[in-house]
Amino acid sequence: QTRPLRAPPSSQDKIPQQNSESAMAKPQVVVAPVLMSKLSVNAPEFYPSGYSSNYTESYEDGCEDYPTLSEYVQDFLNHLTEQPGSFETEIEQFAETLNGCVTTDDALQELVELIYQQATSIPNFSYMGARLCNYLSHHLTISPQSGNFRQLLLQRCRTEYEVKDQAAKGDEVTRKRFHAFVLFLGELYLNLEIKGTNGQVTRADILQVGLRELLNALFSNPMDDNLICAVKLLKLTGSVLEDAWKEKGKMDMEEIIQRIENVVLDANCSRDVKQMLLKLVELRSSNWGRVHATSTYREATPENDPNYFMNEPTFYTSDGVPFTAADPDYQEKYQELLEREDFFPDYEENGTDLSGAGDPYLDDIDDEMDPEIEEAYEKFCLESERKRKQ
């Protein structure tokens, strides 16, 4: 009987004889066959499910493939909302297309309204909308008798601005729409560039005045959402506004901070909102978080560092007046505090209970104030007291 031929064993088929038992315990390694990829460099571009590529496909053809100009503009605005990174590469082509399509006063008015609505109805589009407005204000060639793009945009904003007092005290939906307008105007102030005859670039002074009055409207109606909007606006524009006011010798930011202090002391807003306001006051006291490189090379002293005493503990006199090491009569007040120590035999200087038994009422109180917030609040009380004495 003829035995069938077999191929010589490969390196993977060989099993060492001396360790047959241990080898049997291990799974045999099987090499999978190599499969050829069916992917092609000529395959159509992939888009995730739900993604609309209509704008990309018809972009090169401009607005001719769209039934109306408004549909073309709205499609581009939605495209920017989804892909803000495409602004730099596509804005030039968009402006060129508009110069060929926007040829009437009504078309320009419609363009302004579409951009305004997108910037005030989509929260994440206010910044991009302001950049878009700045670019179009310098690159759209149409300038009808009713005004150019920037003039019509400012007129549209003025329409909303004139009802600020009613909007700030309106219902929740009205206030929400008003807040979106306020933040968009803040972005416009930062991004809308006005080029002078000599080539210098400035910001629109009319927007600076408008933001000041909008802040007045918000603080005059100290509801939580109005105050939160004011905080957002000041975080966004506070440093630029204060620099501009200081150049003109105005003290508007001091007046705003005073209004914030009054709101914290008197308004019936929530505790969280009061903490936000205190945080804003602290941010402004640190020059809006801007750090000067020269300060790192000088040793901090009470004369050159306004925050030198920031981490010092706050004490209180017998009349409840706060004081720190920054007060000129600190030693005298502190000595008085030490003399009153006998009135608190069961407590250390830092307030630690030494008696071992806690107050059941005080034990139930959960003081959740963040240490950083508490420090800011103490500093705020100190500054308020100092201003009151002046």
Side-chain angles (χ1 to χ4, degrees):
Q1 185 177 357
T2 305
R3 300 178 61 181
L5 298 175
R6 55 180 299 183
S10 63
S11 60
Q12 289 132 344
D13 296 331
K14 293 179 181 179
I15 301 177
Q17 297 298 324
Q18 62 272 22
N19 296 323
S20 59
E21 293 182 1
S22 60
M24 291 297 293
K26 296 181 180 179
Q28 188 173 357
V29 178
V30 178
V31 178
V34 178
L35 299 178
M36 297 299 294
S37 173
K38 296 181 180 180
L39 297 179
S40 171
V41 294
N42 298 320
E45 187 174 357
F46 169 75
Y47 292 97
S49 59
Y51 176 83
S52 175
S53 62
N54 293 336
Y55 174 79
T56 306
E57 294 171 356
S58 59
Y59 174 69
E60 296 296 336
D61 297 330
C63 58
E64 296 179 357
D65 286 352
Y66 289 82
T68 62
L69 172 66
S70 61
E71 290 187 38
Y72 169 71
V73 173
Q74 188 61 58
D75 204 9
F76 179 79
L77 296 178
N78 294 338
H79 172 68
L80 276 187
T81 303
E82 295 177 358
Q83 300 185 45
S86 63
F87 179 87
E88 300 291 346
T89 58
E90 299 178 1
I91 185 61
E92 183 178 355
Q93 176 65 40
F94 178 68
E96 290 179 2
T97 302
L98 290 181
N99 280 327
C101 299
V102 180
T103 56
T104 65
D105 186 8
D106 291 340
L108 187 60
Q109 291 273 10
E110 185 179 26
L111 173 65
V112 169
E113 183 65 24
L114 287 170
I115 297 176
Y116 176 85
Q117 291 297 334
Q118 186 85 355
T120 55
S121 60
I122 308 297
N124 295 332
F125 194 75
S126 57
Y127 166 69
M128 185 60 64
R131 290 186 64 195
L132 177 62
C133 289
N134 179 59
Y135 189 92
L136 294 180
S137 69
H138 296 296
H139 293 84
L140 283 186
T141 56
I142 181 174
S143 182
Q145 293 182 350
S146 59
N148 57 31
F149 177 85
R150 185 177 70 246
Q151 292 169 334
L152 293 181
L153 174 67
L154 294 178
Q155 290 176 17
R156 178 61 182 88
C157 292
R158 185 175 183 82
T159 302
E160 197 77 22
Y161 169 82
E162 289 177 346
V163 296
K164 57 185 180 300
D165 295 320
Q166 300 91 317
K169 63 180 67 171
D171 57 27
E172 184 177 354
V173 175
T174 302
R175 295 199 308 272
K176 185 176 181 180
R177 184 171 60 248
F178 174 61
H179 299 157
F181 161 70
V182 169
L183 296 178
F184 175 56
L185 209 68
E187 293 287 6
L188 273 181
Y189 175 65
L190 297 179
N191 291 279
L192 191 61
E193 299 174 341
I194 310 296
K195 294 184 178 180
T197 55
N198 297 328
Q200 73 275 18
V201 178
T202 60
R203 291 188 171 90
D205 286 340
I206 190 173
L207 294 180
Q208 182 186 123
V209 176
L211 291 177
R212 179 69 173 91
E213 294 303 316
L214 290 174
L215 285 169
N216 285 341
L218 292 169
F219 285 123
S220 298
N221 300 276
M223 290 172 275
D224 279 6
D225 54 353
N226 281 344
L227 295 176
I228 291 173
C229 179
V231 169
K232 289 180 178 179
L233 179 61
L234 286 171
K235 283 185 175 181
L236 177 67
T237 63
S239 61
V240 179
L241 284 174
E242 184 166 15
D243 290 345
W245 286 329
K246 283 182 177 179
E247 288 180 2
K248 300 177 181 179
K250 294 183 177 181
M251 303 295 292
D252 290 49
M253 188 57 70
E254 295 292 342
E255 297 173 5
I256 291 174
I257 296 300
Q258 184 61 52
R259 294 204 68 171
I260 293 176
E261 293 175 353
N262 294 337
V263 167
V264 171
L265 293 175
D266 303 328
N268 295 322
C269 56
S270 68
R271 179 177 177 179
D272 289 342
V273 172
K274 287 186 177 181
Q275 290 181 358
M276 290 179 64
L277 292 169
L278 289 173
K279 274 286 192 182
L280 181 67
V281 173
E282 183 181 2
L283 178 65
R284 189 257 178 171
S285 67
S286 66
N287 194 24
W288 303 101
R290 294 178 291 189
V291 179
H292 298 288
T294 56
S295 63
T296 59
Y297 297 98
R298 294 189 301 171
E299 182 178 355
T301 65
E303 289 73 25
N304 64 25
D305 186 358
N307 298 322
Y308 184 81
F309 293 107
M310 179 175 290
N311 295 323
E312 291 291 332
T314 300
F315 304 99
Y316 294 86
T317 65
S318 57
D319 298 328
V321 178
F323 69 94
T324 67
D327 289 85
D329 50 352
Y330 166 76
Q331 292 294 342
E332 180 182 347
K333 292 180 179 179
Y334 188 69
Q335 185 61 37
E336 178 189 348
L337 179 66
L338 294 178
E339 292 174 358
R340 290 191 293 119
E341 189 178 14
D342 293 340
F343 290 99
F344 308 97
D346 294 334
Y347 289 86
E348 287 184 349
E349 183 179 332
N350 63 0
T352 304
D353 187 0
L354 301 177
S355 64
D359 188 323
Y361 173 74
L362 294 176
D363 289 344
D364 290 338
I365 298 179
D366 183 16
D367 187 1
E368 298 179 350
M369 182 176 285
D370 185 83
E372 192 174 350
I373 299 297
E374 185 175 5
E375 179 183 330
Y377 184 73
E378 290 173 349
K379 180 183 176 184
F380 165 72
C381 293
L382 177 61
E383 292 178 352
S384 299
E385 183 62 27
R386 188 176 301 157
K387 290 181 180 179
R388 194 174 292 113
K389 288 181 179 181
Q390 295 175 352

